[in-house]
Amino acid sequence: MSDDTVAGSGDSLPTDQAELQADQQIPPDQPGPQDQAAADTAAVPEQPAADPASRVAQLEQELTALREQHDNLNGQYMRLAADFDNYRKRQSRDLEDQRLQIACNTLSEILPVVDNFDRARQQLNPQHEEAQTLHRSYQGLYKQLVEVFKQLGVSPMRVEGEAFDPSLHEAVLREPSDQHPEDVVIEELQRGYQLNGRVLRHALVKVSMGPGPAEQPQEQGG
């Protein structure tokens, strides 16, 4: 190989590198990344400023809608509160009625015992010390029983001489009476009781029919 050939090969190497570097360089007329970003930003159209009057109208519409929603929710709450209050009152009345009914049923079962005590007390006629002691015992027991009834709200009816009232009295007998007008209680046959103003047991009574028919005077024969 001649010296000219070697020398030619050595001289061609720097020329190829220069051409490769020239190919990798960005042409002067092509934009860079920063220029592209700036161009994209400039391409976005600017939003026009909102009209103040339109914005105020929009806010008023939103406020009106919120007020309507508030009124609807408040109305629902008030109805719910009223329904709950009515339910609570109804439950309270039902419980009170149930409690009163249980008390009436229980006391009604005890009333015959009170009647027996009262009859036994009236029939006792103590003549000596032992009978008087028994009489005092009956009186004490009866007084204690009446006191318990009083504490529970039970009170006896006083019916003699009162006008007959079917809501309080039960007429067992009717008879003429010159001393009492018609429909007046003339005798109590069984005592009635009330529980806090409510009839626990009707009183069994005898009711006057008023004066009987006047007797016609007998004519004397001639």
Side-chain angles (χ1 to χ4, degrees), residues 63 170 189:
L63 180 60
E170 182 178 348
L189 304 178

Side-chain angles (χ1 to χ4, degrees), residues 26-119:
I26 299 174
D29 56 349
Q30 183 176 354
Q34 296 179 355
D35 297 334
Q36 185 65 34
D40 294 341
T41 303
V44 177
E46 296 181 359
Q47 296 292 337
D51 185 10
S54 300
R55 181 59 176 165
V56 170
Q58 180 183 0
L59 292 176
E60 288 180 350
Q61 292 179 356
E62 294 177 357
L63 180 60
T64 302
L66 290 175
R67 284 177 177 173
E68 292 179 355
Q69 184 179 6
H70 172 268
D71 292 340
N72 292 333
L73 293 176
N74 187 63
Q76 293 177 6
Y77 167 76
M78 295 299 293
R79 287 191 295 271
L80 182 62
D83 291 342
F84 177 77
D85 187 59
N86 293 333
Y87 169 77
R88 182 180 57 81
K89 291 179 180 179
R90 186 169 59 253
Q91 286 291 104
S92 179
R93 288 195 302 268
D94 292 343
L95 289 175
E96 180 63 22
D97 291 342
Q98 184 179 9
R99 185 193 67 80
L100 188 59
Q101 186 62 42
I102 293 174
C104 287
N105 294 338
T106 304
L107 292 172
S108 297
E109 297 294 330
I110 302 176
L111 287 180
V113 179
V114 179
D115 295 337
N116 292 333
F117 262 99
D118 192 25
R119 282 191 289 265

Side-chain angles (χ1 to χ4, degrees), residues 5-209:
T5 303
V6 174
S9 300
D11 296 337
S12 62
L13 180 59
T15 302
D16 295 337
Q17 293 179 353
E19 292 176 357
L20 182 59
Q21 293 176 358
D23 293 338
Q24 295 177 351
Q25 290 181 355
I26 299 174
D29 56 349
Q30 183 176 354
Q34 296 179 355
D35 297 334
Q36 185 65 34
D40 294 341
T41 303
V44 177
E46 296 181 359
Q47 296 292 337
D51 185 10
S54 300
R55 181 59 176 165
V56 170
Q58 180 183 0
L59 292 176
E60 288 180 350
Q61 292 179 356
E62 294 177 357
L63 180 60
T64 302
L66 290 175
R67 284 177 177 173
E68 292 179 355
Q69 184 179 6
H70 172 268
D71 292 340
N72 292 333
L73 293 176
N74 187 63
Q76 293 177 6
Y77 167 76
M78 295 299 293
R79 287 191 295 271
L80 182 62
D83 291 342
F84 177 77
D85 187 59
N86 293 333
Y87 169 77
R88 182 180 57 81
K89 291 179 180 179
R90 186 169 59 253
Q91 286 291 104
S92 179
R93 288 195 302 268
D94 292 343
L95 289 175
E96 180 63 22
D97 291 342
Q98 184 179 9
R99 185 193 67 80
L100 188 59
Q101 186 62 42
I102 293 174
C104 287
N105 294 338
T106 304
L107 292 172
S108 297
E109 297 294 330
I110 302 176
L111 287 180
V113 179
V114 179
D115 295 337
N116 292 333
F117 262 99
D118 192 25
R119 282 191 289 265
R121 183 178 59 87
Q122 293 176 0
Q123 292 176 1
L124 286 176
N125 186 17
Q127 298 294 333
H128 48 82
E129 183 64 25
E130 184 178 355
Q132 291 180 359
T133 303
L134 182 60
H135 179 69
R136 285 193 296 269
S137 299
Y138 261 90
Q139 291 281 16
L141 289 174
Y142 182 77
K143 183 177 179 181
Q144 184 178 2
L145 189 59
V146 170
E147 185 64 25
V148 171
F149 268 44
K150 184 178 179 180
Q151 292 176 1
L152 294 174
V154 179
S155 59
M157 297 181 187
R158 305 301 178 188
V159 298
E160 291 188 7
E162 299 291 331
F164 175 74
D165 186 352
S167 64
L168 302 175
H169 314 140
E170 182 178 348
V172 178
L173 296 174
R174 288 180 178 270
E175 64 180 27
S177 174
D178 295 334
Q179 289 78 26
H180 299 88
E182 186 178 2
D183 288 336
V184 172
V185 177
I186 58 179
E187 185 179 352
E188 179 187 66
L189 304 178
Q190 185 182 68
R191 181 162 296 177
Y193 290 89
Q194 291 179 320
L195 175 62
N196 296 324
R198 179 175 179 175
V199 176
L200 184 60
R201 188 179 71 181
H202 290 75
L204 303 183
V205 296
K206 182 191 295 185
V207 182
S208 170
M209 296 174 61

